[in-house]
Amino acid sequence: MTGAAPPDARSERDLETAARRSRMVDAAVELAAAGGYESVQMRDVASRAEVALGTLYRHFPSKDHLLLEVLTEQATALRDRMAQRPPEGAVPAERMADVLRRGTRALARRPNLTAALVTALTSPEADTAPHKHAVETVLRSIITTAIDGGDVADPDGVVRILGYVWLAVLSAWVGGTLDTDQMAEDLTSAARLLLP
Amino acid sequence: MTGAAPPDARSERDLETAARRSRMVDAAVELAAAGGYESVQMRDVASRAEVALGTLYRHFPSKDHLLLEVLTEQATALRDRMAQRPPEGAVPAERMADVLRRGTRALARRPNLTAALVTALTSPEADTAPHKHAVETVLRSIITTAIDGGDVADPDGVVRILGYVWLAVLSAWVGGTLDTDQMAEDLTSAARLLLP
DNA sequence: GCCAGAGCAAGAACACGTTCTACGCCGCTA
DNA sequence: TAGCGGCGTAGAACGTGTTCTTGCTCTGGC
């Protein structure tokens, strides 16, 4: 009784649609990893995904939406890895430093991809606000697990600020005003100043 | 002896060049104040400044360079006003809050202009890095005067972090994920957490 | 069986940042 | 005086994100 319409894997047509969508995302990741934001050209994404340009735009209303979808996936994966192997350290500042070290390492593994995703994140298109909010939420949850259980006054405020610093530092790194070492330095400095 | 070639106001031709340049900047300000980043269209800037497109590009190698020049001017002007009337408050946190209040008010006076300038600041073009660095330096000097003379451990680190938070908050505001009130709230919260 | 509509392909068309071409004007120097 | 280089104008041309057009195919309801 394949016609019973279970809520997922509804029909062959839907499966194909899902496959197409995932091909588009994969193509975006490959192009971004190869050459950064500007290498993710919508025509290339479409042709690499073997899809028409109109189809790409049917699924993702803009290039930034496409990349933010990728970013959400990546951030969620990072959070899951963090949850699977929680940060080590006796006090929040140490655990935070561990998180930042691991996070930075993960991002530096594919610098072009990271640059592309951060570029999309800091792009000013207003209609991507929900996506951006989602990413920020994930980042904050990562930070929260690092400082949880410590004696932190106003943990909420601290988390917000560390999230901001993380974003600003990444953005500066993408913009070329900061190198990887300075990035790590500023992040740990922020953790030391804000956490016991 | 007008032919003695004094270092400024060299010749009539140079005066005209300077006037053209300032017309271009003015046109950019007007367009940005009217409609934000996307309203600053290079063709419009050129025609409003009564200048050919090629001339505009001769003076400013890109739209972002043009807007960053404007931003540098604005930031410097803000710093001068701050220097002229130093922030009030008994302790660094209070003075910092005063600075942030005045700064935010100044920026909110022309929200479209601010959005355009912040957009240029967070754009990922690598060859604007020097400009960005200059702006960051000015922002930091503003912050520094606010916390100077207080009992702040690691003032340098604190200044850097507050600068990052300022930038990140502005960027979030431009991106639509934060409104003016939340912006002010997060900024003062950062000041409280980092300063005595 | 048949129609309405959704999803897609293929590609033209449009918008705006950026570059290039062709030319003119002016001041300098051999 | 003649050429040369720098700056300017006018406008075409190019690249890439985005939108639009046209036509095809499949699906679900009558």
Short mmCIF file of all heavy atoms in Angstrom, two decimals, chain A residues 174-176, chain B residues 123-130 132:
data_model
loop_
_atom_site.label_atom_id
_atom_site.label_comp_id
_atom_site.label_asym_id
_atom_site.label_seq_id
_atom_site.Cartn_x
_atom_site.Cartn_y
_atom_site.Cartn_z
N VAL A 174 37.16 37.76 7.60
CA VAL A 174 36.76 37.69 6.20
C VAL A 174 37.15 38.96 5.47
O VAL A 174 37.61 38.92 4.32
CB VAL A 174 35.23 37.47 6.10
CG1 VAL A 174 34.77 37.65 4.68
CG2 VAL A 174 34.89 36.09 6.61
N GLY A 175 36.98 40.11 6.14
CA GLY A 175 37.30 41.38 5.50
C GLY A 175 38.78 41.63 5.36
O GLY A 175 39.18 42.61 4.75
N GLY A 176 39.60 40.77 5.94
CA GLY A 176 41.03 40.89 5.75
C GLY A 176 41.72 41.79 6.75
O GLY A 176 42.90 42.08 6.61
N SER B 123 31.26 45.00 4.17
CA SER B 123 31.39 44.32 2.89
C SER B 123 32.74 43.62 2.84
O SER B 123 33.71 44.09 3.44
CB SER B 123 31.27 45.33 1.76
OG SER B 123 32.54 45.79 1.38
N PRO B 124 32.82 42.52 2.14
CA PRO B 124 33.99 41.66 2.25
C PRO B 124 35.12 41.99 1.29
O PRO B 124 36.06 41.20 1.19
CB PRO B 124 33.41 40.28 1.92
CG PRO B 124 32.31 40.57 0.96
CD PRO B 124 31.81 41.94 1.25
N GLU B 125 35.08 43.09 0.60
CA GLU B 125 36.15 43.39 -0.35
C GLU B 125 37.47 43.61 0.39
O GLU B 125 37.60 44.47 1.25
CB GLU B 125 35.80 44.64 -1.15
CG GLU B 125 34.47 44.52 -1.85
CD GLU B 125 34.43 45.38 -3.10
OE1 GLU B 125 35.52 45.73 -3.60
OE2 GLU B 125 33.34 45.71 -3.55
N ALA B 126 38.46 42.83 0.02
CA ALA B 126 39.71 42.84 0.78
C ALA B 126 40.46 44.15 0.62
O ALA B 126 41.15 44.58 1.55
CB ALA B 126 40.59 41.67 0.33
N ASP B 127 40.32 44.80 -0.52
CA ASP B 127 41.16 45.98 -0.75
C ASP B 127 40.64 47.22 -0.03
O ASP B 127 41.19 48.29 -0.19
CB ASP B 127 41.33 46.24 -2.24
CG ASP B 127 39.98 46.43 -2.93
OD1 ASP B 127 38.96 46.17 -2.28
OD2 ASP B 127 39.96 46.84 -4.09
N THR B 128 39.59 47.08 0.75
CA THR B 128 39.17 48.19 1.59
C THR B 128 39.67 48.03 3.01
O THR B 128 39.32 48.83 3.89
CB THR B 128 37.64 48.31 1.61
OG1 THR B 128 37.09 47.08 2.10
CG2 THR B 128 37.08 48.56 0.24
N ALA B 129 40.48 47.03 3.25
CA ALA B 129 40.95 46.76 4.60
C ALA B 129 41.59 47.99 5.26
O ALA B 129 41.28 48.27 6.43
CB ALA B 129 41.91 45.58 4.59
N PRO B 130 42.43 48.74 4.58
CA PRO B 130 43.01 49.92 5.24
C PRO B 130 41.96 50.90 5.73
O PRO B 130 42.04 51.40 6.85
CB PRO B 130 43.88 50.54 4.13
CG PRO B 130 44.17 49.42 3.20
CD PRO B 130 42.98 48.52 3.25
N LYS B 132 38.90 50.24 6.52
CA LYS B 132 38.20 49.66 7.66
C LYS B 132 39.04 49.80 8.92
O LYS B 132 38.53 50.10 9.99
CB LYS B 132 37.91 48.18 7.39
CG LYS B 132 36.92 47.95 6.27
CD LYS B 132 36.75 46.46 6.03
CE LYS B 132 35.93 46.20 4.78
NZ LYS B 132 36.02 44.81 4.35
#
